[in-house]
């Protein structure tokens, strides 16, 4: 069973959307293998998004991830990485397909409600960045 990493971002937590997003996740057949709420610091957000450090939006992105609590998730499903990217929708909600989380809940490109790993190596790094082995119950 493949694992992927997801974040319910501060904009969605602030609008009380945790339940609605988890409902979509479970309805699509994902199992929640681990879940926790956290308040990221800038240093933690910068380490997490290190691949984007040369991008012009890096500072805005890391700041927005620290604007309030997040929910961190390890999700399991056959083909979980691709399936979660599909359920999230396009990065820019204006381009997201009907039925996706970003289409339904995102505010704009920055406040786009959810994060998801984009490849197996990224998923492995991101899961281990926030969770220890003993916190993940397959
Ligand atoms: P994702 O994998 O779909 O989340 O997209 P990326 O990995 O390309 O970008 C990471 C995150 O950076 C996105 O989810 C957005 O929140 C944010 N982001 C991407 N492009 C921009 C941009 O041009 N401006 C701002 N402010 N944020 C951006």
């Amino acid at each position: 069973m493949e694992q992927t990493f997801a974040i319910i971002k501060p904009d969605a937590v602030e609008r009380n959307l945790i339940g609605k997003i988890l409902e979509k996740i479970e309805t699509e057949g994902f199992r929640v293998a681990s879940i926790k709420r956290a308040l990221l610091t800038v240093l933690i957000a910068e380490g997490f998004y290190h691949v984007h450090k040369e991008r012009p939006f890096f500072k805005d992105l890391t700041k927005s991830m620290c604007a309030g609590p997040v929910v961190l998730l390890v999700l399991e499903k056959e083909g979980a990485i691709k399936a979660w990217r599909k359920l999230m929708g396009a990065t820019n909600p204006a381009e997201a397909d009907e039925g996706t989380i970003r289409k339904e809940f995102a505010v704009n490109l920055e406040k786009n409600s959810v994060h998801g790993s984009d490849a197996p190596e990224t998923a492995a790094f991101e899961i281990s960045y926030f969770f220890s082995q003993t916190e993940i119950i397959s």
Side-chain angles (χ1 to χ4, degrees), residues 9 49 52 55 57 60-61 85 91 102 109-110 112:
K9 293 186 178 185
Y49 278 118
H52 289 315
R55 307 285 275 278
F57 57 84
D60 287 340
L61 169 62
R85 296 290 305 182
T91 308
R102 282 169 166 169
L109 185 54
E110 187 176 287
N112 62 1

Side-chain angles (χ1 to χ4, degrees), residues 11 39 43 97 124:
D11 74 89
L39 186 55
L43 269 183
D97 290 338

Side-chain angles (χ1 to χ4, degrees), residues 6 11 24 34 54 66 70 74 80-82 85 107 120 123-124 129:
D11 74 89
K24 279 188 167 288
S34 205
E54 305 303 333
C66 304
V70 294
V74 179
I81 295 170
K82 273 207 175 123
R85 296 290 305 182
V107 180
Y129 193 76

